[in-house]
Amino acid sequence: MVNLLEESLTWTNFFVFLFWGVVMLMLVLGFVTYAIYFERKVIGWMQMRIGPNRTGPFGLLQSVADVFKLLIKEDTIPKKAERELFILAPIITFIPSFTIIATIPFSDRMFNANLNVGLLFYVALTGISTIGIILGGWASNNKYALLGGMRSAAQMISYEVPLVISVIGVIMMTGSLNLHTIVDHQSGGFWHWNFIPQILGFIIFAIAGVSELNRTPFDLPEAESELVAGYHVEYSGFRFAFFMLSEYVYVFVIASLTSLIFLGGWHAPFPFLDFIPGIIWFLLKFSFIVFFLFWLRATLPRVRVDQLMGFGWKVLLPLALANMLITAIIMTITK
């Protein structure tokens, strides 16, 4: 094993991996910075407000200024907090969210890692982020943070179950967990995209994905009326920024996975448009889904926690199981 590692991993390969890792980190940071800006602009437009317009031309530097402010703010740690776990929690939350991006193909040639179990890799790493959120709430030694952490864990675990089951129909049709294979199975026009035969699974995935992101109308872990700011109420400065960063990185991931699994990935909606590069189609679908998430936040009110949990276990889970059963029956009949 040592000889194999020494032969395959050279200093050149190490620096190539490091370079592309830094490039991806910069792209993600750029996306997060301007996703926040455009979210504020879109919500302001929908609610007849102006949004950021002071810092930089058209307010384009407002998010940059906000990030800089977080980085230079005083880093406070409560006196009675579990110091080591308090420091570790934002890191545990962020690293899995960033690692998932390594498995996301942006086109048939633009990808980092082509895993045969790409979907399973996503499910495994999102569970680790849940642990970071629980630790952040518990280590703060604050009852509101603890309640926020427990509520967030319950919500994320509850909605992860229908989220995973909703894509089993796609896996059954494709016969693979590989994201490249799933996208290739959808070539030939939009009538081959998975959202048509798997429309129920698509709806369940979209709803459960919004809940996994802890975004409106499912942003119960951060319900100001009950929990102040939820699991990160005691965090400040760059540690607070890590939690916010991981949330928007998961927006990036969910939007990408929705495009790849249900909307044909980098394939054009009509064969005669195949001359347009695949990355353009992927970005268009990705941008539409991100806009849809902003639209939800501007439109819908927050639901109650009992409504949230009841909807996940009593509605989405049975529908996800029914979708899997119907897919199996149809595949058996048409085989």
Side-chain angles (χ1 to χ4, degrees), residues 9-32:
L9 184 60
T10 64
W11 281 107
T12 302
N13 291 338
F14 170 76
F15 284 114
V16 169
F17 294 152
L18 181 63
F19 170 76
W20 284 112
V22 172
V23 169
M24 286 305 301
L25 180 61
M26 292 299 104
L27 288 175
V28 169
L29 290 176
F31 164 78
V32 171

Side-chain angles (χ1 to χ4, degrees), residues 64-317:
V64 177
D66 291 340
V67 170
F68 181 70
K69 178 194 70 173
L70 285 174
L71 292 177
I72 64 174
K73 282 184 71 174
E74 180 183 4
D75 176 33
T76 60
I77 300 178
K79 184 178 180 180
K80 294 186 178 181
E82 290 286 342
R83 185 180 180 86
E84 291 77 12
L85 294 179
F86 186 88
I87 294 172
L88 194 61
I91 301 172
I92 295 176
T93 304
F94 169 70
I95 290 179
S97 66
F98 179 67
T99 308
I100 293 170
I101 298 174
T103 65
I104 295 176
F106 303 104
S107 72
D108 55 343
R109 296 184 179 181
M110 293 181 62
F111 58 90
N112 293 304
N114 186 11
L115 295 184
N116 288 330
V117 289
L119 277 177
L120 188 61
F121 188 75
Y122 162 75
V123 174
L125 288 184
T126 52
I128 299 176
S129 290
T130 306
I131 296 173
I133 288 174
I134 296 174
L135 283 179
W138 181 78
S140 298
N141 195 28
N142 180 305
K143 59 184 179 181
Y144 297 108
L146 177 60
L147 286 172
M150 293 297 103
R151 182 184 286 187
S152 180
Q155 175 178 333
M156 294 177 74
I157 293 170
S158 298
Y159 277 80
E160 194 168 324
V161 176
L163 180 78
V164 174
I165 297 177
S166 67
V167 301
I168 290 180
V170 174
I171 296 170
M172 293 166 65
M173 293 170 54
T174 309
S176 175
L177 287 165
N178 187 300
L179 290 171
H180 281 81
T181 306
I182 291 173
V183 175
D184 290 339
H185 187 263
Q186 301 175 76
S187 61
F190 76 90
W191 50 91
H192 294 289
W193 293 358
N194 287 329
F195 85 93
I196 295 178
Q198 288 291 312
I199 183 64
L200 183 57
F202 174 64
I203 295 171
I204 295 168
F205 185 88
I207 297 173
V210 174
S211 182
E212 277 282 289
L213 297 172
N214 292 333
R215 291 181 62 87
T216 306
F218 304 123
D219 56 338
L220 270 297
E222 302 167 17
E224 299 89 349
S225 58
E226 310 134 43
L227 300 175
V228 191
Y231 56 87
H232 50 58
V233 65
E234 296 289 358
Y235 284 87
S236 65
F238 74 97
R239 301 190 202 281
F240 173 80
F242 263 93
F243 280 118
M244 291 296 98
L245 181 61
S246 63
E247 179 180 321
Y248 277 89
V249 172
Y250 274 123
V251 170
F252 183 96
V253 171
I254 287 291
S256 299
L257 288 177
T258 307
S259 304
L260 296 170
I261 298 172
F262 292 101
L263 300 179
W266 50 82
H267 292 302
F270 300 100
F272 66 86
L273 295 175
D274 284 340
F275 67 93
I276 299 176
I279 184 64
I280 301 297
W281 291 116
F282 175 84
L283 290 175
L284 286 173
K285 298 168 187 177
F286 172 87
S287 301
F288 171 77
I289 295 165
V290 173
F291 172 78
F292 176 73
L293 294 174
F294 296 167
W295 186 5
L296 287 181
R297 184 170 181 180
T299 307
L300 298 179
R302 179 183 292 138
V303 299
R304 295 197 318 264
V305 64
D306 60 306
Q307 294 172 331
L308 171 78
M309 300 302 289
F311 184 70
W313 289 109
K314 297 177 183 179
V315 179
L316 289 188
L317 180 57

